[in-house]
PDB file of all heavy atoms in Angstrom:
ATOM      1  N   PRO A 195     -21.948  35.266  -5.751  1.00 95.00           N
ATOM      2  CA  PRO A 195     -22.906  35.875  -6.692  1.00 95.00           C
ATOM      3  C   PRO A 195     -24.218  35.098  -6.724  1.00 95.00           C
ATOM      4  O   PRO A 195     -25.219  35.616  -7.220  1.00 95.00           O
ATOM      5  CB  PRO A 195     -22.191  35.760  -8.037  1.00 95.00           C
ATOM      6  CG  PRO A 195     -20.741  35.679  -7.702  1.00 95.00           C
ATOM      7  CD  PRO A 195     -20.678  34.938  -6.401  1.00 95.00           C
ATOM      8  N   TRP A 196     -24.225  33.879  -6.198  1.00 95.00           N
ATOM      9  CA  TRP A 196     -25.435  33.047  -6.251  1.00 95.00           C
ATOM     10  C   TRP A 196     -26.060  32.902  -4.865  1.00 95.00           C
ATOM     11  O   TRP A 196     -26.797  31.975  -4.595  1.00 95.00           O
ATOM     12  CB  TRP A 196     -25.073  31.686  -6.846  1.00 95.00           C
ATOM     13  CG  TRP A 196     -24.097  31.874  -7.953  1.00 95.00           C
ATOM     14  CD1 TRP A 196     -24.366  32.361  -9.200  1.00 95.00           C
ATOM     15  CD2 TRP A 196     -22.674  31.694  -7.877  1.00 95.00           C
ATOM     16  NE1 TRP A 196     -23.201  32.490  -9.909  1.00 95.00           N
ATOM     17  CE2 TRP A 196     -22.145  32.080  -9.136  1.00 95.00           C
ATOM     18  CE3 TRP A 196     -21.799  31.241  -6.893  1.00 95.00           C
ATOM     19  CZ2 TRP A 196     -20.776  32.045  -9.414  1.00 95.00           C
ATOM     20  CZ3 TRP A 196     -20.442  31.194  -7.162  1.00 95.00           C
ATOM     21  CH2 TRP A 196     -19.944  31.607  -8.423  1.00 95.00           C
ATOM     22  N   GLY A 197     -25.682  33.829  -4.011  1.00 94.00           N
ATOM     23  CA  GLY A 197     -26.213  33.805  -2.651  1.00 94.00           C
ATOM     24  C   GLY A 197     -25.243  33.104  -1.713  1.00 94.00           C
ATOM     25  O   GLY A 197     -24.172  32.627  -2.118  1.00 94.00           O
ATOM     26  N   ARG A 198     -25.628  33.039  -0.446  1.00 94.00           N
ATOM     27  CA  ARG A 198     -24.756  32.399   0.536  1.00 94.00           C
ATOM     28  C   ARG A 198     -24.791  30.889   0.303  1.00 94.00           C
ATOM     29  O   ARG A 198     -25.867  30.277   0.201  1.00 94.00           O
ATOM     30  CB  ARG A 198     -25.276  32.728   1.941  1.00 94.00           C
ATOM     31  CG  ARG A 198     -24.391  32.215   3.053  1.00 94.00           C
ATOM     32  CD  ARG A 198     -24.838  32.754   4.415  1.00 94.00           C
ATOM     33  NE  ARG A 198     -24.032  32.203   5.483  1.00 94.00           N
ATOM     34  CZ  ARG A 198     -24.234  31.012   6.029  1.00 94.00           C
ATOM     35  NH1 ARG A 198     -25.214  30.257   5.613  1.00 94.00           N
ATOM     36  NH2 ARG A 198     -23.424  30.570   6.996  1.00 94.00           N
ATOM     37  N   GLY A 199     -23.599  30.330   0.210  1.00 95.00           N
ATOM     38  CA  GLY A 199     -23.564  28.899  -0.083  1.00 95.00           C
ATOM     39  C   GLY A 199     -22.213  28.290   0.205  1.00 95.00           C
ATOM     40  O   GLY A 199     -21.346  28.898   0.838  1.00 95.00           O
ATOM     41  N   ARG A 200     -22.042  27.068  -0.257  1.00 95.00           N
ATOM     42  CA  ARG A 200     -20.790  26.339  -0.029  1.00 95.00           C
ATOM     43  C   ARG A 200     -20.434  25.526  -1.270  1.00 95.00           C
ATOM     44  O   ARG A 200     -21.319  25.219  -2.088  1.00 95.00           O
ATOM     45  CB  ARG A 200     -20.914  25.438   1.200  1.00 95.00           C
ATOM     46  CG  ARG A 200     -22.021  24.414   1.121  1.00 95.00           C
ATOM     47  CD  ARG A 200     -22.290  23.818   2.506  1.00 95.00           C
ATOM     48  NE  ARG A 200     -23.070  22.592   2.448  1.00 95.00           N
ATOM     49  CZ  ARG A 200     -24.390  22.563   2.285  1.00 95.00           C
ATOM     50  NH1 ARG A 200     -25.066  23.672   2.132  1.00 95.00           N
ATOM     51  NH2 ARG A 200     -25.024  21.401   2.249  1.00 95.00           N
ATOM     52  N   PRO A 201     -19.182  25.183  -1.398  1.00 95.00           N
ATOM     53  CA  PRO A 201     -18.745  24.514  -2.639  1.00 95.00           C
ATOM     54  C   PRO A 201     -19.102  23.030  -2.666  1.00 95.00           C
ATOM     55  O   PRO A 201     -19.227  22.398  -1.623  1.00 95.00           O
ATOM     56  CB  PRO A 201     -17.218  24.685  -2.590  1.00 95.00           C
ATOM     57  CG  PRO A 201     -16.893  24.772  -1.133  1.00 95.00           C
ATOM     58  CD  PRO A 201     -18.058  25.473  -0.497  1.00 95.00           C
ATOM     59  N   GLY A 202     -19.237  22.499  -3.851  1.00 93.00           N
ATOM     60  CA  GLY A 202     -19.368  21.058  -4.025  1.00 93.00           C
ATOM     61  C   GLY A 202     -17.991  20.435  -3.852  1.00 93.00           C
ATOM     62  O   GLY A 202     -16.963  21.088  -4.008  1.00 93.00           O
ATOM     63  N   TRP A 203     -17.992  19.189  -3.526  1.00 91.00           N
ATOM     64  CA  TRP A 203     -16.745  18.504  -3.183  1.00 91.00           C
ATOM     65  C   TRP A 203     -15.705  18.544  -4.303  1.00 91.00           C
ATOM     66  O   TRP A 203     -14.532  18.857  -4.085  1.00 91.00           O
ATOM     67  CB  TRP A 203     -17.073  17.052  -2.829  1.00 91.00           C
ATOM     68  CG  TRP A 203     -15.906  16.162  -2.594  1.00 91.00           C
ATOM     69  CD1 TRP A 203     -14.742  16.481  -1.943  1.00 91.00           C
ATOM     70  CD2 TRP A 203     -15.782  14.792  -2.980  1.00 91.00           C
ATOM     71  NE1 TRP A 203     -13.910  15.395  -1.894  1.00 91.00           N
ATOM     72  CE2 TRP A 203     -14.523  14.347  -2.528  1.00 91.00           C
ATOM     73  CE3 TRP A 203     -16.607  13.892  -3.663  1.00 91.00           C
ATOM     74  CZ2 TRP A 203     -14.084  13.033  -2.733  1.00 91.00           C
ATOM     75  CZ3 TRP A 203     -16.163  12.595  -3.849  1.00 91.00           C
ATOM     76  CH2 TRP A 203     -14.911  12.185  -3.394  1.00 91.00           C
ATOM     77  N   HIS A 204     -16.142  18.245  -5.512  1.00 94.00           N
ATOM     78  CA  HIS A 204     -15.182  18.130  -6.608  1.00 94.00           C
ATOM     79  C   HIS A 204     -14.463  19.442  -6.895  1.00 94.00           C
ATOM     80  O   HIS A 204     -13.299  19.459  -7.272  1.00 94.00           O
ATOM     81  CB  HIS A 204     -15.889  17.650  -7.873  1.00 94.00           C
ATOM     82  CG  HIS A 204     -16.828  16.520  -7.626  1.00 94.00           C
ATOM     83  ND1 HIS A 204     -16.401  15.329  -7.091  1.00 94.00           N
ATOM     84  CD2 HIS A 204     -18.170  16.402  -7.809  1.00 94.00           C
ATOM     85  CE1 HIS A 204     -17.442  14.514  -6.972  1.00 94.00           C
ATOM     86  NE2 HIS A 204     -18.529  15.145  -7.386  1.00 94.00           N
ATOM     87  N   LEU A 205     -15.185  20.509  -6.670  1.00 95.00           N
ATOM     88  CA  LEU A 205     -14.666  21.827  -6.999  1.00 95.00           C
ATOM     89  C   LEU A 205     -13.407  22.173  -6.212  1.00 95.00           C
ATOM     90  O   LEU A 205     -12.488  22.813  -6.716  1.00 95.00           O
ATOM     91  CB  LEU A 205     -15.757  22.872  -6.718  1.00 95.00           C
ATOM     92  CG  LEU A 205     -15.464  24.318  -7.098  1.00 95.00           C
ATOM     93  CD1 LEU A 205     -15.293  24.433  -8.593  1.00 95.00           C
ATOM     94  CD2 LEU A 205     -16.598  25.214  -6.618  1.00 95.00           C
TER      95      LEU A 205
END
Side-chain angles (χ1 to χ4, degrees):
Chain A
W196 321 286
R198 185 171 177 278
R200 59 194 196 281
W203 174 39
H204 315 301
L205 185 64

